[in-house]
Amino acid sequence: MTKKLVKGNIALCEGAITAGLKSYFGYPITPQNEIPSYFSRKMVELGRVFIQAESEIAAVSMVLGAAVTGTRAMTSSSSPGISLKQEAISYMAGMQVPALIVNVQRGGPGLGNISSSQSDYFQAVKGGGHGDYKIIVIAPNSAQEMYEAAYDAFDLAEKYRTPVMILADGIIGQMMEPIEFNRPEKKEFKEKEWILNGCKGREPRSIKSLLMKDGVLEKHNVKLQEKYKLISENEVKYELYMTEDAEIIITAYGISSRIAKSAVKLARKNGIKAGLLRPKTLWPFPSEIISSFAKPNVKFLSVELSHGQMVEDVRLAVNGRSSVEFLGKAGGGLVTEQEIIKKIQSKV
Amino acid sequence: MKKILSKPESLKNAVLSYCPGCGHGIIHRLAAECIDELGVREKTIAVAPVGCAVFAYDYFNFDVTEAPHGRPPAIATGIKRTNPDKFVFTYQGDGDIAAIGMAETIHAANRSENITIIFVNNANYGMTGGQMAPTTLIGQVTETTPFGRNPEREGYPIKLCELLSTLEGTTYLERVAIYNPQNIIKAKKAIKRAFQCQIDGKGFSLVEVISNCPVDWGMTPLDSIKWVEETFIKSFPLGTVKDKINSII
Ligand SMILES: Cc1ncc(C[n+]2csc(CCOP(=O)(O)OP(=O)(O)O)c2C)c(N)n1
Ligand code: SF4
Ligand SMILES: [Mg+2]
């Protein structure tokens, strides 16, 4: 298969289009502007739907509307915009509506800046909006994975009737890399028995999260939790690199995992037994595999562009059986290989 | 014997949870009758608001989705753009449409989304216990305007139809009332015209229905009807605010 040089954000658009995306709704914000810009031409040329909405709230509400009719819909934004989208994400989780939300993270809190950042981890994996819910969070670390994540997200979302988030960052979105368009054009979609498409030949349906009758919400929440358990059992994805004999295992996702991998290579050259465990899904989190590596002679180091978010989940998985260190910064530069090596050397 | 009056097929056989004397029930019936008469029930996807009509999906006998408070116009946009062959309308209160959802309302109207909005103006927030709404009248006492709405403190009632009429994207805007049979007949005509506007692909239509909320107004149903006639519609004049249906071919 021939490769094409594209930006991560464009690769993501192509993955979604190939997966049969019918409508995109967005609002400009850096560093994800390539996405609405690309779709504004491409979707119209394809006879599909593109709207630049009046806000992120409206954009994600349009997604909700398109998705209750069973069509594939998505929105994208960056950190401040994702905060606004939490309302509808919570509704979609409660209403069990599948859709794709993309967060090409920037620096926060507040308006922050447009530097590559990974400080929306908590918001993405711990729920984000109100209520007891989870969404599937995929963390690509290359243009190729942006393409594949966007394609696969819709199947996952529909399989479990849940919103799915792609949590990327400015560099993964902006970086040009050769990619292979290795997914087939999705043309046939499974019939869904829950969608709203007019009640011709059947009883009318409604899709809702408001459950006021005695005990109904309690039961619904148990059902959601059972679904989340099933997702946790089946959909965890991660990459292992030189972990078999590792005495220090770096955990990192997205752009940090690329730097961490180089650091592992460098460390190995210097005789340090380092390895990388990269979560490809942040929720469900690869707790089991992390746990399996946790023993007194193995140390963990979580490398993030934050002041320590994913590291909390690493600690939970390790549960005191290994020491867990953290290296990170937020709102400016990247963590460098040298900084990682230095940190490792001070700990091994 | 010939049956001359029955429940519209577009209404379920459910007991409505509205307070006695509330206008929502009548407005549901008018919408349902119009949908029956236009033969679009089986291709209808409606959007319920957050407000007293939040349970609309339990009463309407067609597909209905829930929406977060104020977002129905955006949700209807998503539905209609991906399913232009479906009949899509939202049913919203004054707080839903003109406070928290004002941006969604204005921009759906401005894009001339081919949808219909039934806007129930009852001059307060019925569901949450009668607080001030964007449409609360000057001097009107509510849960949060205990001294009466004072424009210096709380601003002025928003006349949504007039506001939207300045947008080129709007096709049909009418304000109606339901406090007596003549007006109910007019209200039904307006709703039907608005629905037909969508069926003919002529763009954004909205009918504002002046309704009554006896419970939160602290009135008997009869007094509430009198207040609508003598006070409410003096601030919100009835009639067609904009109609360019015939000029769109
Ligand atoms: C985000 C959000 N804020 C506030 C509320 C509480 N709330 C429920 S209904 C409502 C006002 C409804 O008033 P209106 O739209 O006029 O409808 P009515 O009940 O009068 O028919 C409010 C503020 C909510 N459900 N969601
Ligand atoms: S509170 Fe008012 S609007 Fe709501 S159901 Fe009762 S009378 Fe009707
Ligand atoms: Mg109201």
Side-chain angles (χ1 to χ4, degrees), chain B residues 24 93-96 120-127 133 135:
Chain B
H24 273 301
D94 36 66
D96 201 73
V120 180
N121 179 355
N122 60 9
N124 77 5
Y125 284 12
M127 176 164 234
T135 50

Side-chain angles (χ1 to χ4, degrees), chain A residues 59-261:
Chain A
V60 72
S61 297
M62 290 172 192
V63 167
L64 190 160
V68 294
T69 70
T71 61
R72 293 190 159 186
M74 71 173 277
T75 184
S76 63
S77 188
S78 182
S79 311
I82 297 296
S83 292
L84 290 181
K85 292 188 196 289
Q86 295 303 332
E87 175 184 70
I89 295 174
S90 164
Y91 270 75
M92 288 193 280
M95 295 163 78
Q96 304 200 77
V97 174
L100 172 60
I101 299 105
V102 177
N103 182 0
V104 185
Q105 296 172 90
R106 54 187 262 168
L111 202 47
N113 64 18
I114 58 167
S115 70
S116 203
S117 195
Q118 298 182 317
S119 45
D120 300 347
Y121 176 92
F122 284 150
Q123 187 195 48
V125 309
K126 305 291 179 187
H130 60 285
D132 250 329
Y133 74 91
K134 297 280 188 188
I135 58 172
I136 297 173
V137 182
I138 309 173
N141 82 343
S142 64
Q144 183 69 42
E145 284 194 4
M146 288 284 261
Y147 170 79
E148 291 167 8
Y151 185 94
D152 298 341
F154 289 102
D155 286 337
L156 264 180
E158 287 173 5
K159 180 172 172 192
Y160 294 102
R161 283 188 62 184
T162 176
V164 172
M165 178 177 281
I166 292 178
L167 190 68
D169 55 73
I171 295 182
I172 297 299
Q174 306 285 332
M175 201 160 48
M176 293 250 304
E177 287 186 301
I179 80 157
E180 226 174 71
F181 296 108
N182 55 4
R183 298 283 196 270
E185 171 105 32
K186 182 110 177 170
K187 291 207 178 96
E188 272 165 49
F189 303 93
K190 266 206 206 110
E191 216 172 294
K192 307 175 187 82
E193 77 304 330
W194 54 270
I195 62 171
L196 307 186
N197 56 355
C199 60
K200 196 172 166 73
R202 61 162 170 80
E203 286 299 302
R205 291 176 187 148
S206 61
I207 302 182
K208 55 186 182 267
S209 62
L210 179 72
L211 303 163
M212 295 285 276
K213 288 202 186 88
D214 246 7
V216 179
L217 180 60
E218 224 176 290
K219 247 177 112 180
H220 176 66
N221 276 330
V222 169
K223 213 177 96 189
L224 289 183
Q225 293 304 319
E226 283 165 359
K227 172 165 88 176
Y228 299 147
K229 189 161 168 272
L230 205 66
I231 296 173
S232 300
E233 284 163 8
N234 296 324
E235 306 301 342
V236 175
K237 292 205 170 59
Y238 55 83
E239 177 198 343
L240 297 178
Y241 179 70
M242 310 207 83
T243 46
E244 315 80 55
D245 61 339
E247 287 165 2
I248 174 117
I249 296 178
I250 303 176
T251 55
Y253 71 94
I255 185 62
S256 303
S257 69
R258 301 275 293 254
I259 301 162
K261 198 176 219 173

Side-chain angles (χ1 to χ4, degrees), chain A residues 22-23 25 49-51 53-55 57-58 61-62 64-66 68-69 71 87-88 91 95 195-210 212-213, chain B residues 12 41-46 50 54-55 57-58 60-69 71 74-79 81-83 86 100 103-105 107-108 111 113:
Chain A
K22 185 157 183 192
S23 57
F25 308 97
V49 179
F50 168 86
I51 295 182
E54 56 271 28
S55 70
I57 296 176
S61 297
M62 290 172 192
L64 190 160
V68 294
T69 70
T71 61
E87 175 184 70
Y91 270 75
M95 295 163 78
I195 62 171
L196 307 186
N197 56 355
C199 60
K200 196 172 166 73
R202 61 162 170 80
E203 286 299 302
R205 291 176 187 148
S206 61
I207 302 182
K208 55 186 182 267
S209 62
L210 179 72
M212 295 285 276
K213 288 202 186 88
Chain B
K12 283 181 185 157
R41 188 184 74 91
E42 292 184 329
K43 56 176 201 166
T44 295
I45 305 173
V50 173
V54 70
F55 294 117
Y57 40 70
D58 287 338
F60 284 129
N61 193 30
F62 40 70
D63 283 3
V64 184
T65 184
E66 175 182 88
H69 194 19
R71 316 299 172 222
I75 287 169
T77 298
I79 296 172
R81 289 287 188 111
T82 48
N83 300 269
K86 297 292 186 261
I100 192 166
E104 286 77 8
T105 305
H107 287 277
R111 289 188 304 264
E113 294 298 341

